[in-house]
Amino acid sequence: MPSGVYQLPDLPSMCPKKSGNSISPNFQEAKNSYEQWVRENIGYPASIGVANAEMPLLAALAWPRASSKELGAILDYMTMSFMLEELTDRSSSEVTKSLSKLWIDVLKDPRSGKGHRHPFIKLMTNQMVARLKEAVDPFHWPEFIQSNIDFAMNTVQEALDREASKDILATRCITSYMVMRRETVGTRPCIVLMRSTRRLYLSEHVLQHPIVAEMENTSLDMVFLANDIYSFKKELGDNGALNNIITVIQKDPNTQHLDLQERIDHAGKLFQAAMDRFNACRDALPSFGDEETDRQVAAFADGLVDWVLGSIEWSIANHRYRVFVDDDDRKNNILRLDDRWFMSGKFKLLLLLISIVFTMILFLIL
């Protein structure tokens, strides 16, 4: 292939089909309501980043059975986790630790955010957490909080890893990265929300069964591997893709000899291996001696498939990553890195400055 042009693995073809709707029938309603809320509550330019994330599309694709109210609460949570990521993505480990603690404290008890000056903490305190808690089944709320405590802790660890890996020559291990990334991708709390929306009341005993736990973990692996592959172009322009499986493959002593196309291929093989393990677990699910529990475990597996495939569909379609230049490249899984400057932080800053200048000129004219 020409320089700067690469072949991505065809991840959707590796996945099972969704068990029901491809997308929630409540998508448009949730999208309209959410976009109105963003316009009214999140100031410019932060609202641009939120809009570019196209979270209503992800929610409707990954939770295709969620009601309109549930999609609204899911969007509250996704916005909260997105903003934590935005606040900490380039922060030092110390700042990340402080922000993550504040974030989880407010999620656990909105009263802890009273009087805080940060506008987003105010939104969490006054609106978002209450709506979320009202929509989540009380059975699932304690597990949801615990999964977010773990998520916040791993966000700090990611910042520590980011500081340690700024040296492009620093050695990293694929296995240790995958264990960490499984938690920092932020999907485990979303899986708890999935069980809530599907009314799956699985006990800790069932969820911690080795086969069920491995099935969930391999689904998380597929989510982050797909996310890393499809976001690589964007991250390369933002920060050199420091926390991305394709960069980690370059730093692992066992794979550092691979060129970029071979690293992309290797990431695809890791995804296929995770999918194979998921399918093996799904086929080997035991009976728990209760017909209803067995039905719910099977439904849980269906929900995991929906989440993996939904996140892939969103990654391909959303404008934040801009993976493909046109429909032909999308159909053929062609990634072009020769245009990545247009996705860089410098280019986005230039666009912002142009927009501000244009607005000022227009204001003066009027």
Side-chain angles (χ1 to χ4, degrees), residues 95-318:
V95 171
T96 298
K97 184 176 181 180
S98 175
L99 289 170
S100 297
K101 182 180 184 305
L102 174 62
W103 185 84
I104 197 64
D105 285 347
V106 175
L107 188 61
K108 289 163 65 176
D109 182 1
R111 292 173 297 181
S112 63
K114 290 292 184 182
H116 200 280
R117 296 170 61 183
H118 194 288
F120 183 68
I121 297 301
K122 290 180 180 179
L123 281 177
M124 285 184 66
T125 299
N126 298 328
Q127 297 185 39
M128 303 170 79
V129 175
R131 287 196 301 258
L132 176 62
K133 191 169 184 179
E134 183 181 348
V136 176
D137 193 300
F139 176 89
H140 297 92
W141 185 255
E143 184 188 0
F144 177 69
I145 290 296
Q146 184 57 53
S147 67
N148 276 288
I149 292 172
D150 296 339
F151 171 54
M153 289 174 57
N154 281 284
T155 298
V156 175
Q157 185 59 51
E158 189 173 46
L160 290 167
D161 286 357
R162 186 168 60 243
E163 290 173 347
S165 64
K166 284 183 178 179
D167 178 3
I168 192 63
L169 299 177
T171 298
R172 296 194 75 184
C173 169
I174 292 174
T175 301
S176 62
Y177 171 80
M178 291 183 68
V179 172
M180 180 272 296
R181 187 75 170 101
R182 182 184 287 171
E183 306 305 328
T184 59
V185 73
T187 303
R188 205 178 292 275
C190 294
I191 289 176
V192 180
L193 291 179
M194 178 268 286
R195 289 200 293 270
S196 176
T197 61
R198 293 187 178 226
R199 313 295 183 265
L200 303 179
Y201 302 104
L202 299 173
S203 68
E204 185 176 358
H205 166 71
V206 171
L207 292 172
Q208 290 186 352
H209 186 283
I211 294 177
V212 177
E214 175 69 3
M215 184 175 69
E216 178 174 322
N217 285 337
T218 53
S219 73
L220 293 170
D221 291 346
M222 287 185 283
V223 169
F224 86 71
L225 285 165
N227 183 265
D228 280 10
I229 290 170
Y230 290 123
S231 68
F232 178 69
K233 180 178 180 179
K234 175 186 179 298
E235 292 181 27
L236 201 59
D238 287 352
N239 61 10
L242 287 174
N243 268 303
N244 187 289
I245 188 63
I246 296 174
T247 303
V248 174
I249 291 170
Q250 181 186 15
K251 293 185 175 185
D252 190 301
N254 294 316
T255 52
Q256 61 187 6
H257 62 283
L258 300 178
D259 63 25
L260 181 52
Q261 181 61 64
E262 291 170 329
R263 296 200 300 274
I264 293 171
D265 294 342
H266 191 74
K269 291 175 183 176
L270 291 172
F271 181 92
Q272 181 65 69
M275 175 57 75
D276 290 344
R277 294 198 309 275
F278 175 87
N279 288 332
C281 289
R282 195 178 187 185
D283 291 342
L285 286 172
S287 173
F288 291 91
D290 172 32
E291 185 176 337
E292 177 59 19
T293 299
D294 292 348
R295 183 197 69 78
Q296 290 194 22
V297 171
F300 178 41
D302 290 340
L304 293 174
V305 170
D306 286 358
W307 224 102
V308 172
L309 192 52
S311 68
I312 290 174
E313 292 166 340
W314 170 80
S315 294
I316 292 172
N318 82 81

Side-chain angles (χ1 to χ4, degrees), residues 322 338-344 347-348 351:
R322 298 188 184 277
D338 47 1
D339 67 338
R340 66 185 183 275
W341 187 81
F342 295 100
M343 298 190 63
S344 68
F347 181 71
K348 292 173 185 175
L351 285 180

Side-chain angles (χ1 to χ4, degrees), residues 47-95:
S47 60
I48 301 299
V50 173
N52 285 343
E54 297 183 67
M55 285 181 273
L57 180 62
L58 175 56
L61 288 169
W63 285 272
R65 298 188 182 188
S67 68
S68 180
K69 179 180 179 180
E70 288 167 340
L71 280 180
I74 287 165
L75 285 167
D76 275 322
Y77 174 68
M78 291 174 69
T79 305
M80 286 189 271
S81 59
F82 174 80
M83 292 306 295
L84 177 64
E85 178 185 346
E86 290 294 295
L87 289 169
T88 61
D89 201 34
R90 296 171 181 82
S91 299
S92 69
S93 56
E94 283 302 313
V95 171

